[in-house]
Amino acid sequence: MNETVYYAIGDVHGENDKLAGLHDFIREDARRLGVAPFFVHLGDLVDRGPDSRGVVARVMALHESAPDRAVTLKGNHEEMMLNAYDGLSAMDESNWAANGGDVAIASYERANGSHEDWRSSIDRAHAHWLRGLPVMWRDEARKLAFVHAGIDPARFPDCPDEHKLWTRSNKFFDPGRWPDRPELEGLMVVHGHTPTRDSEPYLGARRINVDTGACFGGPLTCVVLAPGEKPRFLYAR
């Protein structure tokens, strides 16, 4: 039986102090339970908040110290950052900057110095690590799917990456509209991407949203998923 206790963390968006606090709360909670925590970061580590570089460095260090107890997913903001970094088009760079990328660049420049080309301020190891992140992670035995934005219920688990990174479709948000497919039977989707309006996590029958707007003044939230127990939440404010 899979006794893993998952701690799935919503969109961090450069809020390094909140992430440090939440990691501490998670370790404390796991000690109380007598388990080793399994960390799941649901993407959007970067942009908007003050210390994107610090967040990426912290999560990379966690993976290095506990490689079998951590998963980090790519979010749409990591995708925008990498598209801008690769310089595929001027639109990619301006789109990222308009969505908080300018603040992320500033955090890297504080640490690494500013350069004529901002790419020279980004740690190459960070860009390489972000590029290799998965877009979904599953515990099939417990029928859990962790993803940044959501799924296409008509095509899960083979929905396009764009859907997993970007969707805000009502066809996903409303499980009453999900088709009757064996792949969806008993499935719980854990996601972020869409900040809740009340800064509280959303707990439904088929999905859990833990994006509580950490970069907009809300808490950074994680859901605790222990076998045989109801989901519960930890917060760093």
Side-chain angles (χ1 to χ4, degrees), residues 53-112:
R53 184 187 182 276
V55 169
V56 174
R58 182 178 302 280
V59 176
M60 288 177 66
L62 176 67
H63 275 258
E64 186 173 346
S65 65
D68 298 326
R69 310 294 304 179
V71 167
T72 297
L73 303 179
K74 184 185 293 182
N76 63 304
H77 280 259
E78 282 77 43
E79 182 179 66
M80 285 191 289
M81 177 180 177
L82 292 169
N83 287 345
Y85 185 86
D86 290 341
L88 301 179
S89 75
M91 276 297 280
D92 287 327
E93 189 169 339
S94 61
N95 183 49
W96 181 46
N99 283 281
D102 52 349
V103 185
I105 291 171
S107 76
Y108 278 92
E109 290 180 337
R110 283 195 301 272
N112 299 327

Side-chain angles (χ1 to χ4, degrees), residues 13-14 45-49 52 77 80-81 96 99-101 103-104 215:
H13 280 306
L45 303 179
V46 301
D47 300 348
R48 294 185 174 146
S52 291
H77 280 259
M80 285 191 289
M81 177 180 177
W96 181 46
N99 283 281
V103 185
C215 66

Side-chain angles (χ1 to χ4, degrees), residues 110-132:
R110 283 195 301 272
N112 299 327
S114 56
H115 302 269
E116 185 174 348
D117 185 343
W118 59 265
R119 293 167 184 82
S120 298
S121 299
I122 306 295
D123 302 70
R124 289 186 179 182
H126 287 202
H128 177 76
W129 182 77
L130 292 170
R131 200 179 301 280

